[in-house]
Amino acid sequence: MFGQQNMSTNSTVDHCKTPNFDTYKALSWLMIVEFVLGLPLNLSVLYIFIFRFKFWKNKSIFLFNIVVADFLLVVCLPAKAYHYQHGQRRSSNSAVCKTLLFMLFLNRGASIGFLITLSLDRYFNVVHLGRRNFVKVLKKTPQISIVIWLLLLPLTIPTMVNTFECCNSHGRVVETYSHDVTDTFREVVFFTQILIPFIILVYCTVRIVNRLRKKTVGEKTKLRRAVCVVMSVVVVFSICFLPCTIARAVLLYFRLQNMQVAEDVAVQVYDGLMVLSYVDCLLDPLVYCFCNSGFKDAYITTFCPGPLQKKLLNANFGLGSGATTITTNSAAAARTVTSPIMEKS
């Protein structure tokens, strides 16, 4: 009883401080590297989508929303790194802390939501070709993106009620009923927004791969692209989201068991994997390239030097050649010729 009371007392004082200053110092520099690499990358991607690729004309609304989510995540990283460098897991200012958490979880949810939507689109186009595809209908309605962002708000607002990372969570303090409900809802959202999309993603991947095996050679180019899209999303999930989810579950277990020493280690692992999850702002451009060859070509012709342009534009990346696309699908050939990439702006 005394141990639990002591932990509860310390929870409001010590748990928001970094358990190991050197570890968090290293994590802060990792976030700085992510910011230095992610800011110009995402700014360049935004430039391509708006000025070269004209995403509103090419049914790439969902891709553009992922770019926006990644950019908003990147701009939050310097503040997070600053706190880590000063030995704090979060800002001591309540408004700054809640705003930062809100932004991080909102953009995380948006990135996951739009990535899964892209995977579902490829799934319906390949496995249920010819049937009415509700995702394709949504892509033609730009307003639906606003609706998706608004739907994410109720799932993100609980992070502002009490700080999620350290000050009030299950097993830490004796809570009122309302606080307990808030904490429970927050944990459920944290886990379900990763686990349910990952299950959907694995299902889509398996079905698309099975479809690829049954198709003839002349039809495989489009299917290979679909496989690359969903596999790239699987890679993003496996590197960025699943590890921190598992670490969160382990952390909660140690906390509920009042294993303070083990919890201090688990906290460092969890925070480290959360920092790793921010790498998705660097990996998502790979998804854009696999989703839309027009975007890939636009990026290459805008930012790569001449000799490198030719090599990258002529590379097949195992997805089939341009000639295959022309011979198997005349409509696809027309799109290749009239792609915005050929326009000079």
Side-chain angles (χ1 to χ4, degrees):
M1 182 70 177
F2 174 79
Q4 183 176 358
Q5 182 179 1
N6 185 51
M7 190 179 80
S8 299
T9 303
N10 289 340
S11 66
T12 58
V13 178
D14 298 329
H15 283 282
C16 287
K17 293 182 180 179
T18 56
N20 185 307
F21 181 75
D22 292 336
T23 299
Y24 284 81
K25 188 83 170 180
L27 291 177
S28 70
W29 284 110
L30 177 57
M31 280 190 284
I32 291 173
V33 171
E34 291 173 341
F35 174 76
V36 170
L37 297 176
L39 184 63
L41 175 62
N42 283 275
L43 283 175
S44 64
V45 170
L46 277 172
Y47 171 82
I48 295 298
F49 266 107
I50 296 174
F51 298 105
R52 292 297 311 278
F53 191 60
K54 299 179 175 59
F55 67 92
W56 59 91
K57 294 182 179 180
N58 290 280
K59 301 175 184 177
S60 299
I61 299 295
F62 291 154
L63 284 177
F64 178 75
N65 278 276
I66 298 174
V67 181
V68 173
D70 288 343
F71 176 75
L72 294 176
L73 169 64
V74 168
V75 298
C76 293
L77 294 182
K80 192 75 174 171
Y82 174 83
H83 300 143
Y84 277 12
Q85 287 200 346
H86 288 77
Q88 295 290 331
R89 296 181 64 215
R90 66 167 182 89
S91 172
S92 57
N93 184 296
S94 179
V96 173
C97 176
K98 293 176 180 179
T99 300
L100 190 60
L101 282 171
F102 177 78
M103 291 292 292
L104 290 174
F105 278 91
L106 176 64
N107 299 323
R108 178 191 182 91
S111 181
I112 292 172
F114 287 111
L115 283 172
I116 292 300
T117 304
L118 288 173
S119 299
L120 286 173
D121 180 48
R122 290 301 185 274
Y123 166 76
F124 282 111
N125 283 337
V126 171
V127 179
H128 299 291
L129 185 63
R131 297 183 184 179
R132 184 173 178 83
N133 183 349
F134 77 96
V135 181
K136 184 176 294 185
V137 174
L138 295 181
K139 287 199 301 184
K140 297 178 181 179
T141 309
Q143 292 82 358
I144 198 64
S145 297
I146 300 175
V147 174
I148 292 176
W149 282 95
L150 292 176
L151 290 175
L152 289 169
L153 292 178
L155 302 179
T156 310
I157 287 176
T159 61
M160 300 181 68
V161 177
N162 288 293
T163 51
F164 175 72
E165 290 184 332
C166 53
C167 285
N168 191 16
S169 193
H170 280 303
R172 176 158 290 157
V173 295
V174 178
E175 299 174 292
T176 64
Y177 176 77
S178 60
H179 286 169
D180 186 58
V181 170
T182 300
D183 287 339
T184 301
F185 179 69
R186 186 164 44 226
E187 298 293 348
V188 169
V189 169
F190 180 85
F191 287 104
T192 55
Q193 75 170 358
I194 303 295
L195 297 179
I196 292 179
F198 186 72
I199 292 172
I200 295 173
L201 186 59
V202 170
Y203 175 79
C204 293
T205 304
V206 171
R207 292 296 302 274
I208 291 174
V209 171
N210 288 337
R211 189 75 170 180
L212 176 62
R213 291 174 179 173
K214 297 177 182 178
K215 287 292 182 178
T216 60
V217 176
E219 298 172 301
K220 284 191 173 181
T221 299
K222 179 180 178 181
L223 292 175
R224 284 198 186 99
R225 291 187 181 278
V227 170
C228 285
V229 170
V230 293
M231 288 304 297
S232 63
V233 179
V234 168
V235 169
V236 172
F237 264 75
S238 300
I239 294 177
C240 300
F241 301 134
L242 280 180
C244 62
T245 304
I246 297 171
R248 181 73 187 174
V250 174
L251 171 59
L252 289 176
Y253 172 78
F254 288 144
R255 184 175 298 161
L256 291 171
Q257 296 297 318
N258 293 337
M259 301 168 65
Q260 188 59 55
V261 175
E263 182 185 341
D264 288 341
V265 176
V267 163
Q268 296 177 63
V269 174
Y270 168 71
D271 285 341
L273 291 175
M274 282 297 293
V275 172
L276 177 65
S277 73
Y278 304 150
V279 175
D280 75 309
C281 64
L282 302 177
L283 296 179
D284 283 343
L286 295 176
V287 179
Y288 313 149
C289 291
F290 287 129
C291 279
N292 198 307
S293 58
F295 166 81
K296 173 178 68 71
D297 293 344
Y299 197 93
I300 291 172
T301 55
T302 303
F303 293 109
C304 294
L308 184 59
Q309 277 186 27
K310 295 180 180 179
K311 292 182 179 180
L312 293 176
L313 290 174
N314 293 330
N316 296 330
F317 300 105
L319 299 177
S321 64
T324 303
T325 304
I326 292 174
T327 57
T328 58
N329 192 325
S330 57
R335 284 196 299 272
T336 303
V337 173
T338 60
S339 172
I341 214 60
M342 305 302 294
E343 298 176 4
K344 303 296 181 182
S345 58

